Amino acid sequence: MSAIPHHVLLAGATGLTGRELLALLLGDGRIVRVLAPTRHALPPQPRLENPVGMISHLLTQLQGPVDTVFCCLGTTIHQAGSREAFRTVDYDLPLLLGRQALAQGASHYLVISALGADPSSRWFYNRTKGELELALQKQGWPRLTILRPSLLLGERRQPRLGELLAAPFSRLLPERWRGIEAATVARAMWRLAEAPGDGLRIVASGELQQWGAAPQAKKSRPEGGP
């Protein structure tokens, strides 16, 4: 399957990676509409449709055609306040997004998971991410692309202390574990959306570094890329 996205649904447009991805989408003239529900209004822009309110409520009311859906939702247990609240953002909402997007005709779901995602993990965070991956596969997507980045780097509106402390060290690790810039993940996400293919594709952090390399630094795309 190969299709350039024209009608896009983006969840998490105000987050670290979502902001970068939104700018890429709105900068591509081939896209007819970007549907981006958020809790707080985004600056008006051509081709941007921005329903405002509680995401869980908005997702059930979205209308219009969608061919590609990007999920950049994510939080931490500390920010969410409890395991239950964390699971709502990182598990329940991405599943609801998938069901709604399928109902609107979407054929490709791209979702940010995490390095180490495993439904049998002893760590709650990794276990939740792994359970989400399995649940999305059961939704029956024609194309499902799961991104597993390492530590996301970039300037958040609400800094996370653990990430701030870990970031300098994460840049020194081998590529498969090295921290990855949110802008790199956003570029990789968009390029993967344009790439031909079908079925399930899981892209680990090292491969994301290649897919999302800045244009001036990118010599070639991974084998099988467009």
Side-chain angles (χ1 to χ4, degrees):
M1 181 183 298
S2 177
I4 301 299
H6 295 295
H7 298 272
V8 170
L9 172 56
L10 168 61
T14 60
L16 183 62
T17 306
R19 295 196 308 268
E20 300 283 352
L21 181 57
L22 180 62
L24 290 175
L25 296 175
L26 293 176
D28 192 317
R30 297 171 297 176
I31 293 182
V32 176
R33 180 182 71 147
V34 177
L35 179 57
T38 57
R39 290 184 63 185
H40 304 287
L42 298 169
Q45 297 190 61
R47 296 177 290 117
L48 173 63
E49 186 174 328
N50 178 219
V52 177
M54 293 296 296
I55 299 298
S56 57
H57 180 64
L58 293 175
L59 289 180
T60 62
Q61 298 186 339
L62 299 179
Q63 298 180 353
V66 172
D67 51 56
T68 305
V69 55
F70 298 93
C71 183
C72 299
L73 295 169
T75 186
T76 64
I77 297 175
H78 176 73
Q79 283 189 317
S82 68
R83 286 190 171 193
E84 292 74 17
F86 166 81
R87 190 173 175 86
T88 294
V89 175
D90 281 62
Y91 181 86
D92 295 336
L93 288 180
L95 282 185
L96 177 60
L97 176 68
R99 288 194 296 271
Q100 182 63 32
L102 280 171
Q104 292 179 240
S107 60
H108 191 185
Y109 192 126
L110 299 98
V111 58
I112 297 178
S113 181
L115 187 68
D118 183 349
S120 62
S121 175
R122 61 181 293 188
W123 305 108
F124 180 75
Y125 180 87
N126 288 348
R127 186 168 67 251
T128 300
K129 293 293 189 180
E131 291 172 350
L132 171 64
E133 292 184 6
L134 286 181
L136 288 175
Q137 291 176 50
K138 292 178 181 178
Q139 286 188 340
W141 282 90
R143 289 188 71 186
L144 174 61
T145 301
I146 296 172
L147 289 73
R148 291 180 176 173
S150 183
L151 180 68
L152 287 171
L153 305 175
E155 295 185 9
R156 295 186 185 272
R157 293 193 174 107
Q158 294 181 326
R160 299 174 179 177
L161 180 59
E163 292 179 354
L164 291 175
L165 295 175
F169 302 99
S170 72
R171 299 178 191 273
L172 304 176
L173 296 173
E175 188 174 58
R176 63 179 295 189
W177 296 296
R178 186 184 308 155
I180 184 169
E181 295 288 340
T184 300
V185 175
R187 284 192 297 268
M189 212 171 193
W190 180 226
R191 290 168 181 165
L192 285 162
E194 294 181 292
D198 53 26
L200 173 66
R201 182 171 196 165
I202 297 176
V203 189
S205 199
E207 188 180 355
L208 287 176
Q209 297 276 13
Q210 300 174 50
W211 274 99
Q216 64 270 23
K218 182 166 59 65
K219 296 179 181 179
S220 63
R221 290 185 178 177
E223 184 178 351

